[in-house]
Amino acid sequence: MALRHAVLAALLDGEFSGYQLAKGFDIGVANFWHALPQQLYAELSRLEGEGLVAGREVVQEGRPNKRLFTVTDAGLAELESFAAAAAKPSFIRDDLLVKVQAVDGVDAAPVIAQLRERAAVAEAKTEVLGALLRRLRGDLDEDEFLRTGRRIGPYLTCLRGLAFERETREWCLRTADLLARRRAEAARGRAGG
Amino acid sequence: MALRHAVLAALLDGEFSGYQLAKGFDIGVANFWHALPQQLYAELSRLEGEGLVAGREVVQEGRPNKRLFTVTDAGLAELESFAAAAAKPSFIRDDLLVKVQAVDGVDAAPVIAQLRERAAVAEAKTEVLGALLRRLRGDLDEDEFLRTGRRIGPYLTCLRGLAFERETREWCLRTADLLARRRAEAARGRAGG
DNA sequence: TGTGACATGTAACGCGTTACATGATTTG
DNA sequence: CAAATCATGTAACGCGTTACATGTCACA
C-alpha cells in the first residue's frame, strides 16, 4: 500500500487537487509512480477520513470547484514510519520485456517496431525530465543545489528516472537493430547463397 | 494480464514445473517479472484448462510428484498475438523512491540505510546476471552469440536487467552518500560554527 | 530432532484497472 | 458544433499478496 505514501510525499510540495496529482504535472512523483484519477480521488478521500491529509474546498467560477489537500501532522508521522520500515525489493515488470523474451518463438517484426516506439517515448521523457531538473535547481549547478537545496527529494528521484529512461532508450535501440539485422540475415539466407 | 504471457515465454525454453518457475532459477524471466508460487500454480492450471500449455505428471521417488508444462500450438499463437499487440508504457514503481521523494520531510537515517542495502542487493544481482549471461552464450563472445544464437530472447532481457541493476546500485550509493553528507553538515551547523 | 528444500495448492483481502457517469467551459 | 480541459466520482472485475494447509525427504 504505497500509493497513499506516494500521495503524501507529493503533497509535501504544497497543496494539490486529485486532478492535479493525476495529471502528473507536479514534481517527480509521476516519474516513478503512476495512478489513475479514480485511484487518487479514492485515496485522498480515505486519507482525509483518517486525518492524514486535510482538504479544503476551493470555489471557482467558470470551472468546477476543486478540493486542495495538504499533509497534516498525522500524515507526516505516517510518512515517517513508512520511511523507517523495510523496503520491498523492486523489479522491472514490463510487457515489452516479456515480448523480447519470447522473440525467438514469434514474429519479430512487431516487437522491433515496439522497441523503436518505446525508444522514442523514452527519449521524449528524458527531455521532459531534463527540463524539470533545470527548473528544480534554478540558478544553481547540480552539486551546489544538492548540497544546499531545501527540497532535494524530487530532484533525486528525477535523476533516477532520467537514468532509467536513458538506459531504456539505449537498450531498445540496440535490441531493435540487432533483431532487424538478424531478420535481414535470415531473409538473405532463405533467398539464395 | 501479462503473467500468463511471461509464463508462456519462460516455457519456450523447455519443460518446467510451477515450483521451478517460481524459484526463478531458470532463464531470465525472474529478472523482469516476479510471481509467487501460488500465482504460478493457478496460472498454469488456467493455461492448461485453456489448452495453451500441456502438463504431464512426473512420478518421482524420494520426493513429491510434479507436473511439467510445455507450450502448445495454441499457446504459441497466443504469444504471437500478444507480441503483436501494442505494449503498455512501463514505469518504475518502487517504495524506496517514494521514500527518497519524501526525504526532506522525514528522518533521513533509515532511508540512507535502505539505499545502501538496496545497493548491495543490486550488486549481488549484477553478479548473478553476469554469470547467467556467460552461461547462456557458452564459448561464443557476445557479438557472435547475438548474431548466430538460436535463443537470444533471455540473453537480451538479462542485458536489460543487468543495466538496470547497475544503474540502481550507482544511484543508490550516490544518493546515500549525498544524504549522509548533508546530515553531517547539518549536525556540524547545529553544534557550533 | 529440527530446519530447509521439494512440491502443490486454497481462501481472503486489497490494490489497480476498466468502464461508466456527470456537467460546465474553453478552444478549434 | 465538436473536441479537449477542468473536476470528481461509482461500480465491477481481475490480478497480486498474504496467510494458511499438507506432506516427504535430505542433511546437520
Side-chain angles (χ1 to χ4, degrees), chain B residues 19-82:
Chain B
Y19 188 81
Q20 284 173 304
L21 289 174
K23 287 278 289 186
F25 85 97
D26 60 309
I27 359 63
V29 196
N31 306 310
F32 63 90
W33 201 275
H34 141 95
L36 298 167
Q38 302 92 307
Q39 249 180 299
L40 290 168
Y41 291 126
E43 195 60 53
L44 285 167
S45 294
R46 242 175 280 146
L47 287 168
E48 195 182 17
E50 295 171 38
L52 303 181
V53 304
R56 64 183 185 97
E57 185 89 13
V58 175
V59 179
Q60 298 185 118
E61 304 206 1
R63 51 180 62 181
N65 296 347
K66 59 181 173 182
R67 290 197 300 147
L68 294 181
F69 294 92
T70 46
V71 182
T72 64
D73 289 347
L76 253 184
E78 170 66 26
L79 253 187
E80 187 81 43
S81 72
F82 166 70

Side-chain angles (χ1 to χ4, degrees), chain A residues 32 85 92 99 104 151 182, chain B residues 32 83 85 92 99 104 149 151:
Chain A
F32 64 91
I92 310 180
K99 293 175 187 186
D104 306 296
R151 181 83 174 104
R182 280 170 64 101
Chain B
F32 63 90
I92 311 179
K99 293 176 185 184
D104 306 297
R151 182 82 175 104

Side-chain angles (χ1 to χ4, degrees), chain A residues 27 32 34 80 83 85 88 92-93 99 101 104 107 114 118 146 149 151 153 157 160 168 171 182, chain B residues 27 32-34 80 83 85 88 92-93 99 101 104 107 114 118 146 149 151 153 157 160 168 182:
Chain A
I27 350 65
F32 64 91
H34 142 94
E80 187 81 44
K88 300 174 192 171
I92 310 180
R93 188 178 268 184
K99 293 175 187 186
Q101 173 88 11
D104 306 296
D107 181 16
Q114 288 174 62
R118 175 67 65 86
L146 286 174
R151 181 83 174 104
T157 55
R160 180 70 190 95
T168 297
W171 178 82
R182 280 170 64 101
Chain B
I27 359 63
F32 63 90
W33 201 275
H34 141 95
E80 187 81 43
K88 300 175 191 169
I92 311 179
R93 188 178 268 185
K99 293 176 185 184
Q101 173 88 11
D104 306 297
D107 181 16
Q114 288 173 62
R118 176 68 63 88
L146 286 175
R151 182 82 175 104
T157 56
R160 181 70 191 96
T168 297
R182 282 170 63 101

Side-chain angles (χ1 to χ4, degrees), chain A residues 43 159 161:
Chain A
E43 195 62 51
L159 283 177

Side-chain angles (χ1 to χ4, degrees), chain A residues 53-157:
Chain A
V53 304
R56 64 183 185 96
E57 185 89 13
V58 175
V59 179
Q60 297 184 118
E61 305 205 1
R63 50 180 64 180
N65 295 346
K66 60 181 173 183
R67 290 197 300 148
L68 295 180
F69 295 91
T70 47
V71 182
T72 63
D73 288 346
L76 254 184
E78 170 67 27
L79 253 188
E80 187 81 44
S81 70
F82 166 70
K88 300 174 192 171
S90 80
F91 47 88
I92 310 180
R93 188 178 268 184
D94 187 342
D95 278 11
L96 190 47
L97 282 169
V98 176
K99 293 175 187 186
V100 171
Q101 173 88 11
V103 80
D104 306 296
V106 302
D107 181 16
V111 179
I112 294 168
Q114 288 174 62
L115 283 165
R116 293 199 164 126
E117 197 193 318
R118 175 67 65 86
V121 170
E123 184 160 16
K125 235 176 156 183
T126 61
E127 276 158 33
V128 170
L129 287 170
L132 191 50
L133 288 170
R134 281 191 296 279
R135 207 188 83 205
L136 286 172
R137 70 173 172 257
D139 301 327
L140 304 174
D141 68 21
E142 185 164 281
D143 275 354
E144 197 177 343
F145 173 74
L146 286 174
R147 260 186 294 119
T148 64
R150 283 198 188 160
R151 181 83 174 104
I152 58 166
Y155 197 93
L156 292 167
T157 55

